[in-house]
């Protein structure tokens, strides 16, 4: 059983919502070259929630992606896309990144 001091320290170490959103954003930027080399703009936090057991943050980020020439009807056309990130509240590591279909 943890003491009050250990519990307080553990709470300080746990990731909060803002920290989870920042980790998701940094991760998205770090892997954008693996997303087909497309330009990603206007990244916004769309949704955020913590799991019932408070072990995972689920963060949805939206961004505008410049369409390829063969997809676009006009030059520099963009489409809004969404990704859901699962972030471990204890280790601060991204466990998954998934496509969010709207």
């Amino acid at each position: 059983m943890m003491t009050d001091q250990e519990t307080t320290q553990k709470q300080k170490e746990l990731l909060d919502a803002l920290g989870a959103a920042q980790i998701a954003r940094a991760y998205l930027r770090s892997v954008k070259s693996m997303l087909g080399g497309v330009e990603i703009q206007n990244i916004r936090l769309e949704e955020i929630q913590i799991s019932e057991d408070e072990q995972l943050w689920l963060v949805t980020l939206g961004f505008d992606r410049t369409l390829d020439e063969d997809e676009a009807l006009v030059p520099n056309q963009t489409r809004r896309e969404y990704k859901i990130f699962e972030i471990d509240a204890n280790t601060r590591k991204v466990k998954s990144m998934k496509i969010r279909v709207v």
Side-chain angles (χ1 to χ4, degrees), residues 74-97:
V74 296
N76 299 318
Q77 184 178 356
T78 62
R79 174 176 54 218
R80 193 87 183 144
E81 293 190 1
Y82 304 89
K83 300 283 185 191
I84 301 173
F85 299 84
E86 251 185 33
I87 300 167
D88 188 299
N90 295 301
T91 66
R92 295 173 155 76
K93 291 184 180 179
V94 176
K95 296 186 76 160
S96 70
M97 178 180 78

Side-chain angles (χ1 to χ4, degrees), residues 2 20 22 30 46 48:
M2 287 197 287
Q22 291 170 338
S30 74
E46 303 289 347
I48 189 163

Side-chain angles (χ1 to χ4, degrees), residues 7 9 49 65 98:
T7 300
Q9 182 62 30
Q49 82 177 61
R65 178 177 84 79
K98 300 176 184 177

Side-chain angles (χ1 to χ4, degrees), residues 7-55:
T7 300
T8 302
Q9 182 62 30
K10 183 70 173 170
Q11 288 171 338
K12 287 180 184 177
E13 292 172 5
L14 284 177
L15 188 59
D16 64 5
L18 179 59
Q22 291 170 338
I23 289 169
R25 184 182 181 116
Y27 188 84
L28 178 62
R29 287 183 172 174
S30 74
V31 299
K32 76 177 189 177
S33 65
M34 291 185 249
L35 299 174
V38 297
E39 187 65 32
I40 293 176
Q41 307 164 18
N42 196 22
I43 300 171
R44 287 192 309 225
L45 175 64
E46 303 289 347
E47 300 173 331
I48 189 163
Q49 82 177 61
I50 194 161
S51 61
E52 286 194 28
D53 64 2
E54 298 187 355
Q55 297 302 304

